[in-house]
Amino acid sequence: MLNRVKLLAAAVSVSVCAIAATPASATTVFFSGFETPIADTNNNGWDVINPLFEGWAVTAGPGIEVQKGNIGGANPYAGNQKIELDSDFAPDSNSAMAQSVNLAAGTYEFSFAYLGRTGDVNTNGIGYSIDTGVLADTLVTGVRSDGWEIISHIFTLDTAQTITMNFWASGTDDTRGGYLDNVQISAVPLPPAVLLFGAALGGLGWLGRRRKKAALTA
Ligand SMILES: [Ca+2]
Ligand SMILES: [Ca+2]
Ligand SMILES: [Ca+2]
């Protein structure tokens, strides 16, 4: 029994050192901040782009509305540009976009910044999903006064896969909707040390239970 205790203690100590030496830092594998310069054909700080902007393909509606600075009354979450998918050219302004990324097997965090443009949650919605089978259709909505919020989902791929991110304007088709910025996918490494650490803790727990039982029966 003494040998087993020493062995477990050693394993825990090694694991703790490994975690301290190599923190599990996320690596960005995809990023779109919508900062690609626009032609600004409207000459007032915004444009509707179709069929492609920063790798995003327009899949429905008139296009991706890119806004500079505080057009629409709100600054971008980061940088100088944000986008709106309830685009322009009423009455069919709600638009959608998609982009595919090749990912290796692993665990990832998908995130983006969202802000509702108006005071009406029924017109500010943005739907999103990740094909195929990674993330079902999900809706985010809010109002301007909520401020920018970061939406985040963790997912794991058992094998390498091409995934497709989809975003679409949801709600009243009225040229005003939700803002998007900083769409990102980060690899979340699970270092072997964490697994070893977990196994060691599990082993100690098992040992503790064994000891308790032994004491009770003694
Ligand atoms: Ca931006
Ligand atoms: Ca718009
Ligand atoms: Ca709308």
Side-chain angles (χ1 to χ4, degrees):
M1 183 63 92
L2 193 59
N3 284 342
R4 184 188 291 277
V5 171
K6 276 183 179 168
L7 192 64
L8 284 168
V12 168
S13 132
V14 165
S15 302
V16 168
C17 288
I19 288 169
T22 53
S25 57
T27 307
T28 301
V29 295
F30 173 85
F31 180 79
S32 181
F34 307 110
E35 295 297 313
T36 302
I38 56 175
D40 201 9
T41 50
N42 293 299
N43 200 29
N44 52 9
W46 62 280
D47 221 339
V48 175
I49 312 291
N50 193 339
L52 205 60
F53 179 69
E54 215 160 274
W56 297 96
V58 175
T59 51
I64 299 165
E65 182 174 325
V66 184
Q67 300 182 352
K68 290 182 181 177
N70 69 348
I71 293 291
N75 287 314
Y77 173 75
N80 190 47
Q81 293 182 171
K82 61 186 179 295
I83 67 160
E84 181 178 44
L85 290 173
D86 190 342
S87 189
D88 205 65
F89 317 124
D92 299 311
S93 51
N94 276 348
S95 302
M97 65 182 194
Q99 179 156 189
S100 297
V101 184
N102 298 318
L103 295 179
T107 297
Y108 297 91
E109 179 180 23
F110 163 73
S111 66
F112 61 88
Y114 167 85
L115 171 67
R117 175 172 178 174
T118 77
D120 178 7
V121 292
N122 296 315
T123 196
N124 293 339
I126 288 184
Y128 58 98
S129 68
I130 303 177
D131 296 331
T132 309
V134 175
L135 182 64
D137 290 5
T138 307
L139 173 71
V140 59
T141 192
V143 292
R144 169 76 65 80
S145 55
D146 291 343
W148 285 96
E149 59 181 310
I150 301 297
I151 309 296
S152 168
H153 295 269
I154 303 284
F155 64 93
T156 297
L157 300 179
D158 293 332
T159 56
Q161 190 178 325
T162 301
I163 61 142
T164 302
M165 296 171 280
N166 303 288
F167 287 96
W168 60 93
S170 178
T172 314
D173 222 321
D174 58 0
T175 78
R176 291 166 186 233
Y179 289 134
L180 275 181
D181 208 348
N182 280 26
V183 178
Q184 185 167 330
I185 298 176
S186 301
V188 182
L190 194 59
V194 170
L195 297 173
L196 186 60
F197 188 52
L201 283 180
L204 283 177
W206 174 83
L207 190 61
R209 284 194 299 278
R210 286 265 299 183
R211 276 178 163 174
K212 206 169 183 178
K213 194 176 176 187
L216 283 174
T217 53

